[in-house]
């Protein structure tokens, strides 16, 4: 369950956009909380999203899911 999803930095250069976001998520099964930052990379051309990539610390999320 996402408990926080807060953008902390936004950078745009032409059609390229990067958003850094702080995320706090709680695993429903274990109740453990993962706090991490993620980055979203967007490429927009002609008013349409041409590509999107999300990068985050998967090890932190996996640790949160461990029983």
């Amino acid at each position: 369950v996402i408990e926080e999803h807060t953008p902390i930095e936004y950078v745009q250069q032409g059609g390229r956009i990067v958003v850094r976001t702080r995320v706090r998520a709680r695993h429903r099964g274990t109740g453990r909380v993962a706090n991490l930052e993620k980055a979203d990379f967007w490429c927009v051309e002609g008013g349409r999203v041409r590509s999107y990539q999300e990068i985050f610390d998967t090890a932190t999320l996996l640790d949160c899911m461990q029983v």
Side-chain angles (χ1 to χ4, degrees):
V1 177
I2 303 297
E3 296 180 344
E4 177 187 5
H5 189 269
T6 306
I8 54 178
E9 182 178 14
Y10 173 89
V11 178
Q12 179 180 1
Q13 185 175 21
R16 298 189 184 277
I17 303 163
V18 178
V19 182
R20 283 182 47 226
T21 305
R22 181 177 300 116
V23 178
R24 182 176 59 241
R26 182 178 304 275
H27 188 271
R28 287 186 179 126
T30 65
R32 290 184 180 165
V33 174
N35 289 295
L36 55 103
E37 286 187 14
K38 70 181 191 89
D40 298 308
F41 298 86
W42 302 77
C43 182
V44 179
E45 295 175 3
R48 302 184 120 192
V49 175
R50 296 295 179 195
S51 64
Y52 170 78
Q53 183 177 18
E54 177 182 57
I55 298 175
F56 60 93
D57 182 2
T58 55
T60 298
L61 289 180
L62 287 174
D63 184 53
C64 178
M65 291 188 263
Q66 298 298 321
V67 179

